[in-house]
PDB file of all heavy atoms in Angstrom:
ATOM      1  N   GLU B 159      -3.620 -28.396 -19.519  1.00 97.00           N
ATOM      2  CA  GLU B 159      -2.171 -28.552 -19.416  1.00 97.00           C
ATOM      3  C   GLU B 159      -1.540 -27.178 -19.578  1.00 97.00           C
ATOM      4  O   GLU B 159      -1.880 -26.439 -20.505  1.00 97.00           O
ATOM      5  CB  GLU B 159      -1.691 -29.480 -20.532  1.00 97.00           C
ATOM      6  CG  GLU B 159      -0.233 -29.833 -20.394  1.00 97.00           C
ATOM      7  CD  GLU B 159       0.232 -30.759 -21.525  1.00 97.00           C
ATOM      8  OE1 GLU B 159      -0.557 -31.633 -21.964  1.00 97.00           O
ATOM      9  OE2 GLU B 159       1.372 -30.576 -21.966  1.00 97.00           O
ATOM     10  N   LEU B 160      -0.660 -26.850 -18.669  1.00 97.00           N
ATOM     11  CA  LEU B 160      -0.029 -25.548 -18.741  1.00 97.00           C
ATOM     12  C   LEU B 160       1.471 -25.708 -18.891  1.00 97.00           C
ATOM     13  O   LEU B 160       2.131 -26.278 -18.021  1.00 97.00           O
ATOM     14  CB  LEU B 160      -0.362 -24.779 -17.459  1.00 97.00           C
ATOM     15  CG  LEU B 160      -0.079 -23.299 -17.589  1.00 97.00           C
ATOM     16  CD1 LEU B 160      -1.167 -22.513 -16.922  1.00 97.00           C
ATOM     17  CD2 LEU B 160       1.270 -22.973 -17.014  1.00 97.00           C
ATOM     18  N   ASP B 161       1.998 -25.226 -20.012  1.00 97.00           N
ATOM     19  CA  ASP B 161       3.422 -25.384 -20.276  1.00 97.00           C
ATOM     20  C   ASP B 161       4.087 -24.012 -20.376  1.00 97.00           C
ATOM     21  O   ASP B 161       3.886 -23.283 -21.344  1.00 97.00           O
ATOM     22  CB  ASP B 161       3.606 -26.176 -21.579  1.00 97.00           C
ATOM     23  CG  ASP B 161       5.079 -26.455 -21.822  1.00 97.00           C
ATOM     24  OD1 ASP B 161       5.866 -26.358 -20.848  1.00 97.00           O
ATOM     25  OD2 ASP B 161       5.456 -26.742 -22.963  1.00 97.00           O
ATOM     26  N   LEU B 162       4.864 -23.688 -19.365  1.00 97.00           N
ATOM     27  CA  LEU B 162       5.527 -22.381 -19.334  1.00 97.00           C
ATOM     28  C   LEU B 162       6.564 -22.273 -20.449  1.00 97.00           C
ATOM     29  O   LEU B 162       6.718 -21.237 -21.083  1.00 97.00           O
ATOM     30  CB  LEU B 162       6.167 -22.157 -17.950  1.00 97.00           C
ATOM     31  CG  LEU B 162       7.037 -20.916 -17.788  1.00 97.00           C
ATOM     32  CD1 LEU B 162       6.268 -19.643 -18.102  1.00 97.00           C
ATOM     33  CD2 LEU B 162       7.618 -20.834 -16.379  1.00 97.00           C
ATOM     34  N   ASP B 163       7.274 -23.373 -20.677  1.00 96.00           N
ATOM     35  CA  ASP B 163       8.357 -23.344 -21.654  1.00 96.00           C
ATOM     36  C   ASP B 163       7.850 -22.893 -23.030  1.00 96.00           C
ATOM     37  O   ASP B 163       8.427 -22.019 -23.665  1.00 96.00           O
ATOM     38  CB  ASP B 163       8.990 -24.735 -21.731  1.00 96.00           C
ATOM     39  CG  ASP B 163      10.366 -24.660 -22.361  1.00 96.00           C
ATOM     40  OD1 ASP B 163      10.904 -23.541 -22.444  1.00 96.00           O
ATOM     41  OD2 ASP B 163      10.879 -25.707 -22.774  1.00 96.00           O
ATOM     42  N   SER B 164       6.735 -23.483 -23.469  1.00 97.00           N
ATOM     43  CA  SER B 164       6.206 -23.103 -24.790  1.00 97.00           C
ATOM     44  C   SER B 164       5.133 -22.009 -24.673  1.00 97.00           C
ATOM     45  O   SER B 164       4.520 -21.628 -25.666  1.00 97.00           O
ATOM     46  CB  SER B 164       5.632 -24.334 -25.491  1.00 97.00           C
ATOM     47  OG  SER B 164       4.534 -24.821 -24.733  1.00 97.00           O
ATOM     48  N   GLN B 165       4.895 -21.544 -23.449  1.00 97.00           N
ATOM     49  CA  GLN B 165       3.903 -20.486 -23.180  1.00 97.00           C
ATOM     50  C   GLN B 165       2.519 -20.839 -23.734  1.00 97.00           C
ATOM     51  O   GLN B 165       1.885 -20.046 -24.417  1.00 97.00           O
ATOM     52  CB  GLN B 165       4.395 -19.145 -23.729  1.00 97.00           C
ATOM     53  CG  GLN B 165       5.668 -18.696 -23.061  1.00 97.00           C
ATOM     54  CD  GLN B 165       6.213 -17.387 -23.597  1.00 97.00           C
ATOM     55  OE1 GLN B 165       7.416 -17.221 -23.688  1.00 97.00           O
ATOM     56  NE2 GLN B 165       5.357 -16.437 -23.938  1.00 97.00           N
ATOM     57  N   LYS B 166       2.098 -22.048 -23.411  1.00 97.00           N
ATOM     58  CA  LYS B 166       0.831 -22.547 -23.961  1.00 97.00           C
ATOM     59  C   LYS B 166      -0.056 -23.107 -22.865  1.00 97.00           C
ATOM     60  O   LYS B 166       0.410 -23.750 -21.927  1.00 97.00           O
ATOM     61  CB  LYS B 166       1.137 -23.700 -24.927  1.00 97.00           C
ATOM     62  CG  LYS B 166       1.082 -23.306 -26.391  1.00 97.00           C
ATOM     63  CD  LYS B 166       1.105 -24.578 -27.246  1.00 97.00           C
ATOM     64  CE  LYS B 166       0.995 -24.295 -28.719  1.00 97.00           C
ATOM     65  NZ  LYS B 166       1.659 -23.145 -29.259  1.00 97.00           N
ATOM     66  N   ILE B 167      -1.370 -22.858 -23.036  1.00 97.00           N
ATOM     67  CA  ILE B 167      -2.371 -23.530 -22.207  1.00 97.00           C
ATOM     68  C   ILE B 167      -3.137 -24.448 -23.149  1.00 97.00           C
ATOM     69  O   ILE B 167      -3.711 -23.985 -24.144  1.00 97.00           O
ATOM     70  CB  ILE B 167      -3.339 -22.508 -21.577  1.00 97.00           C
ATOM     71  CG1 ILE B 167      -2.553 -21.520 -20.699  1.00 97.00           C
ATOM     72  CG2 ILE B 167      -4.421 -23.200 -20.760  1.00 97.00           C
ATOM     73  CD1 ILE B 167      -3.384 -20.360 -20.191  1.00 97.00           C
ATOM     74  N   ILE B 168      -3.131 -25.749 -22.869  1.00 96.00           N
ATOM     75  CA  ILE B 168      -3.791 -26.694 -23.763  1.00 96.00           C
ATOM     76  C   ILE B 168      -5.005 -27.261 -23.042  1.00 96.00           C
ATOM     77  O   ILE B 168      -4.896 -27.774 -21.916  1.00 96.00           O
ATOM     78  CB  ILE B 168      -2.829 -27.843 -24.140  1.00 96.00           C
ATOM     79  CG1 ILE B 168      -1.568 -27.232 -24.774  1.00 96.00           C
ATOM     80  CG2 ILE B 168      -3.497 -28.816 -25.114  1.00 96.00           C
ATOM     81  CD1 ILE B 168      -0.368 -28.118 -24.723  1.00 96.00           C
ATOM     82  N   PHE B 169      -6.171 -27.134 -23.662  1.00 93.00           N
ATOM     83  CA  PHE B 169      -7.373 -27.718 -23.060  1.00 93.00           C
ATOM     84  C   PHE B 169      -8.185 -28.394 -24.159  1.00 93.00           C
ATOM     85  O   PHE B 169      -8.563 -27.770 -25.151  1.00 93.00           O
ATOM     86  CB  PHE B 169      -8.172 -26.688 -22.285  1.00 93.00           C
ATOM     87  CG  PHE B 169      -8.534 -25.436 -23.022  1.00 93.00           C
ATOM     88  CD1 PHE B 169      -9.849 -25.184 -23.346  1.00 93.00           C
ATOM     89  CD2 PHE B 169      -7.572 -24.500 -23.380  1.00 93.00           C
ATOM     90  CE1 PHE B 169     -10.210 -24.028 -24.013  1.00 93.00           C
ATOM     91  CE2 PHE B 169      -7.915 -23.351 -24.049  1.00 93.00           C
ATOM     92  CZ  PHE B 169      -9.234 -23.104 -24.367  1.00 93.00           C
ATOM     93  N   GLY B 170      -8.420 -29.702 -23.966  1.00 90.00           N
ATOM     94  CA  GLY B 170      -9.097 -30.487 -25.003  1.00 90.00           C
ATOM     95  C   GLY B 170      -8.289 -30.406 -26.284  1.00 90.00           C
ATOM     96  O   GLY B 170      -7.064 -30.586 -26.280  1.00 90.00           O
ATOM     97  N   ASP B 171      -8.963 -30.066 -27.377  1.00 92.00           N
ATOM     98  CA  ASP B 171      -8.259 -29.952 -28.663  1.00 92.00           C
ATOM     99  C   ASP B 171      -7.762 -28.537 -28.912  1.00 92.00           C
ATOM    100  O   ASP B 171      -7.150 -28.256 -29.929  1.00 92.00           O
ATOM    101  CB  ASP B 171      -9.222 -30.306 -29.819  1.00 92.00           C
ATOM    102  CG  ASP B 171      -9.807 -31.681 -29.615  1.00 92.00           C
ATOM    103  OD1 ASP B 171      -9.154 -32.467 -28.909  1.00 92.00           O
ATOM    104  OD2 ASP B 171     -10.917 -31.938 -30.118  1.00 92.00           O
ATOM    105  N   GLU B 172      -8.083 -27.656 -27.978  1.00 93.00           N
ATOM    106  CA  GLU B 172      -7.711 -26.257 -28.213  1.00 93.00           C
ATOM    107  C   GLU B 172      -6.486 -25.859 -27.396  1.00 93.00           C
ATOM    108  O   GLU B 172      -6.128 -26.521 -26.427  1.00 93.00           O
ATOM    109  CB  GLU B 172      -8.867 -25.337 -27.793  1.00 93.00           C
ATOM    110  CG  GLU B 172     -10.090 -25.462 -28.659  1.00 93.00           C
ATOM    111  CD  GLU B 172     -11.146 -24.460 -28.221  1.00 93.00           C
ATOM    112  OE1 GLU B 172     -10.897 -23.250 -28.408  1.00 93.00           O
ATOM    113  OE2 GLU B 172     -12.169 -24.876 -27.675  1.00 93.00           O
ATOM    114  N   SER B 173      -5.900 -24.755 -27.806  1.00 95.00           N
ATOM    115  CA  SER B 173      -4.820 -24.222 -26.976  1.00 95.00           C
ATOM    116  C   SER B 173      -4.786 -22.704 -27.113  1.00 95.00           C
ATOM    117  O   SER B 173      -5.301 -22.149 -28.079  1.00 95.00           O
ATOM    118  CB  SER B 173      -3.483 -24.826 -27.386  1.00 95.00           C
ATOM    119  OG  SER B 173      -3.066 -24.244 -28.592  1.00 95.00           O
ATOM    120  N   MET B 174      -4.237 -22.054 -26.113  1.00 96.00           N
ATOM    121  CA  MET B 174      -4.005 -20.616 -26.230  1.00 96.00           C
ATOM    122  C   MET B 174      -2.605 -20.285 -25.735  1.00 96.00           C
ATOM    123  O   MET B 174      -2.056 -20.955 -24.869  1.00 96.00           O
ATOM    124  CB  MET B 174      -5.081 -19.793 -25.498  1.00 96.00           C
ATOM    125  CG  MET B 174      -5.535 -20.291 -24.159  1.00 96.00           C
ATOM    126  SD  MET B 174      -6.736 -19.183 -23.361  1.00 96.00           S
ATOM    127  CE  MET B 174      -8.300 -19.850 -23.798  1.00 96.00           C
TER     128      MET B 174
END
Side-chain angles (χ1 to χ4, degrees):
Chain B
E159 187 180 324
L160 196 140
D161 185 18
L162 173 58
D163 199 15
S164 63
Q165 298 179 216
K166 258 192 178 38
I167 300 172
I168 303 158
F169 53 112
D171 304 336
E172 293 183 68
S173 75
M174 41 177 95

